[in-house]
Amino acid sequence: MAKEEQIYYLRLFILSFVTILLAVPIMLMLLWPKAEGNLLYLRLMAGYPIALTLIGLGMRRNGGKRLSDLSGRIDKTLFAVILAALFAISAISSIGNGGVTVNENSTSSIAFSFLISILLIPLQCYAEELIFRILPQRIALARAFESPMRDKVAVTIISSAFFALLHLPNSEAKLFDSMAISFIYYFVSAAYLNLLSFIEKGYTSPIAYHTANNLFIAVVINRKEASTIPSEPFFFFTGNFDTFNSIISLVWAMIVITAVVVIYSRRQSRRAEIGKKEQKEEENT
């Protein structure tokens, strides 16, 4: 049974990888080759809901499962807390490290970009979590109910290296002092997202962390020279890029978010225990 699960998740991973990163983006590029500005942004982001819809249809035809069965129910409270915490950390870090200027583009352009970001970035982040963490973990950990630590370490190293390599062509990756530092930065970020999922025993926290980060740079503050996607944030960061400060900001974010997840997870466990005790007492009376 475990082997059948692994094969199912492996097939689903191949489908997801091809659909999200290759087939749908190429199709949209061929259908809409001359898109620029916000229309290019829309073309890039529109691929994610299309890809997820196709993956969901494929899952229903092969076993009747849904995408929510893979990630579980998203804890909205934890999601909101992580989103607020990372936004606060990112704002303090960005404003404290240099100047910030208002985006001088038209209000309509910024509003259109804002709408695209709010609607589609959560889907983009879910799609990336699916191929970089959720499915790789499902493949590696399907062998037993409690998988050995080495399986978790292995899937973390492989998926994180994969994540880092695919992000090296990004514009912001070239701002670091070297490509090696850039690789390490992305690798550590991805490994941390794996760690969050193991701590929480779910995917709310990595999805929230990923979504908050992408929303912040797309909507709030970003660098013109670091825009991988042509979004129109409300502000632009004008200070000189500093590798050391970026690493410090990442470390602070990891410390704060880990504390939030650990505290919240323990509270949920205690509530579950109290609920079980109350249920037993009702059954005994």
Side-chain angles (χ1 to χ4, degrees):
M1 185 66 180
K3 191 172 183 179
E4 290 178 1
E5 276 189 57
Q6 281 188 312
I7 293 172
Y8 172 78
Y9 291 133
L10 180 59
R11 290 171 58 190
L12 187 56
F13 173 80
I14 294 171
L15 171 65
S16 301
F17 181 87
V18 171
T19 305
I20 293 169
L21 297 181
L22 297 174
V24 173
I26 291 172
M27 177 193 72
L28 289 173
M29 183 177 66
L30 293 174
L31 292 173
W32 205 350
K34 296 182 179 180
E36 295 180 355
N38 273 328
L39 293 180
L40 175 59
Y41 184 31
L42 178 60
R43 190 193 79 187
L44 293 170
M45 299 302 292
Y48 294 103
I50 295 172
L52 290 173
T53 300
L54 293 174
I55 294 165
L57 290 173
M59 289 179 66
R60 288 188 180 183
R61 290 186 177 182
N62 294 277
K65 294 184 179 181
R66 298 176 296 179
L67 283 170
S68 58
D69 296 328
L70 295 174
S71 58
R73 182 177 293 179
I74 301 300
D75 190 315
K76 295 179 181 178
T77 303
L78 180 58
F79 186 93
V81 172
I82 292 174
L83 200 69
L86 192 58
F87 256 60
I89 295 167
S90 300
I92 293 168
S93 173
S94 297
I95 295 171
N97 289 338
V100 174
T101 184
V102 177
N103 188 344
E104 295 180 354
N105 280 357
S106 66
T107 303
S108 59
S109 177
I110 296 173
F112 185 35
S113 178
F114 175 83
L115 184 63
I116 296 170
S117 299
I118 292 297
L119 293 177
L120 299 181
I121 280 181
L123 298 177
Q124 175 214 6
C125 294
Y126 183 88
E128 290 192 6
E129 287 302 310
L130 188 67
I131 59 176
F132 289 120
R133 269 160 290 280
I134 297 173
L135 286 173
Q137 286 184 18
R138 292 280 184 174
I139 294 167
L141 309 181
R143 291 191 296 179
F145 180 73
E146 287 293 338
S147 299
M149 181 60 68
R150 65 175 180 272
D151 290 342
K152 294 181 179 180
V153 172
V155 73
T156 297
I157 292 172
I158 294 170
S159 65
S160 299
F162 186 42
F163 179 89
L165 286 171
L166 287 182
H167 281 74
L168 284 182
N170 289 0
S171 301
E172 65 268 19
K174 299 170 186 176
L175 295 175
F176 288 91
D177 294 336
S178 69
M179 292 303 287
I181 294 176
S182 179
F183 176 86
I184 293 171
Y185 182 89
Y186 283 110
F187 180 89
V188 171
S189 300
Y192 175 67
L193 290 172
N194 275 281
L195 176 63
L196 279 182
S197 67
F198 295 139
I199 293 173
E200 182 201 342
K201 296 181 181 178
Y203 298 100
T204 291
S205 51
I207 291 172
Y209 186 100
H210 199 160
T211 303
N213 177 75
N214 288 21
L215 275 174
F216 186 84
I217 62 175
V219 173
V220 186
I221 303 174
N222 198 4
R223 294 175 176 274
K224 288 184 179 180
E225 69 271 25
S227 297
T228 302
I229 50 178
S231 59
E232 293 289 348
F234 290 112
F235 304 97
F236 284 112
F237 181 63
T238 57
N240 293 325
F241 181 84
D242 188 282
T243 297
F244 179 75
N245 285 334
S246 296
I247 294 171
I248 293 299
S249 297
L250 176 63
V251 171
W252 270 114
M254 290 192 296
I255 292 172
V256 172
I257 300 305
T258 300
V260 169
V261 173
V262 169
I263 293 170
Y264 190 85
S265 297
R266 287 181 178 177
R267 286 186 64 185
Q268 291 298 95
S269 297
R270 287 174 185 171
R271 286 180 181 178
E273 289 177 5
I274 292 170
K276 288 180 181 178
K277 288 181 180 178
E278 290 177 349
Q279 187 176 358
K280 285 183 180 180
E281 289 174 359
E282 288 180 3
E283 290 174 356
N284 294 331
T285 55

